[in-house]
């Protein structure tokens, strides 16, 4: 099973990026999916999660109103549209999935997720 994140890069404050996560090795259409991030010297931080159907979305307070998580189950992919980026959004962003389909608990906790992608670097300059 692989979760391949892409779309990161260097952007000025106020700019936008769209992260993509391509899943392979398993169909994740029945899985809750999420994005976490980790800045240098800091712990992993929940960013956003989406239910298997896409009908439920959850965000950290720090990104609410600026980021949008979405998914395309036909493509086995999850996305994170990031607008109005701030320097404090600088981090490595990880696409994650739980071990089992149908799991819906504690979407904001790292321990809820078994599969972690390699991450994509997002750098926001001031």
């Amino acid at each position: 099973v692989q979760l391949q994140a892409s779309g990161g890069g260097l952007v000025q404050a106020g700019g936008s990026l769209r992260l993509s996560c391509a899943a392979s090795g398993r169909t994740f259409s029945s899985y809750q999916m999420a994005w976490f991030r980790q800045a240098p010297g800091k712990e992993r931080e929940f960013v956003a999660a989406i239910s298997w159907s896409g009908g439920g979305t959850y965000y950290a307070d720090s990104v609410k109103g600026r980021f949008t998580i979405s998914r395309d189950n036909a493509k086995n992919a999850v996305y994170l549209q990031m607008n109005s980026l701030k320097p404090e959004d600088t981090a490595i962003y990880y696409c994650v999935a739980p071990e089992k389909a149908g799991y819906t608990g504690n979407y904001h906790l790292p321990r809820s997720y078994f599969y972690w992608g390699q991450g994509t670097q997002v750098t926001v300059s001031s």
Side-chain angles (χ1 to χ4, degrees):
V1 175
Q2 280 194 324
L3 298 174
Q4 184 74 36
S6 62
L10 173 63
V11 63
Q12 288 189 333
S16 298
L17 284 173
R18 186 184 190 227
L19 305 185
S20 298
C21 173
S24 60
R26 180 172 296 184
T27 299
F28 282 94
S29 58
S30 298
Y31 287 69
Q32 171 179 288
M33 303 288 289
W35 289 93
F36 280 73
R37 66 187 182 187
Q38 187 167 21
K42 296 187 177 181
E43 295 186 351
R44 284 176 297 184
E45 175 188 26
F46 168 74
V47 176
I50 187 166
S51 65
W52 69 270
S53 67
T57 55
Y58 315 92
Y59 298 94
D61 288 342
S62 58
V63 307
K64 201 171 293 183
R66 300 187 297 121
F67 290 11
T68 302
I69 189 171
S70 61
R71 68 189 299 160
D72 185 338
N73 285 339
K75 295 182 178 179
N76 221 22
V78 178
Y79 308 98
L80 185 69
Q81 177 66 43
M82 306 186 295
N83 298 328
S84 302
L85 283 161
K86 304 175 181 180
E88 50 263 45
D89 293 319
T90 295
I92 299 174
Y93 283 71
Y94 297 93
C95 174
V96 301
E99 184 175 16
K100 296 181 179 180
Y103 179 78
T104 58
N106 297 323
Y107 58 83
H108 63 292
L109 296 178
R111 66 171 183 260
S112 296
Y113 300 94
F114 183 81
Y115 298 106
W116 290 72
Q118 88 292 351
T120 185
Q121 176 71 48
V122 172
T123 303
V124 184
S125 63
S126 57

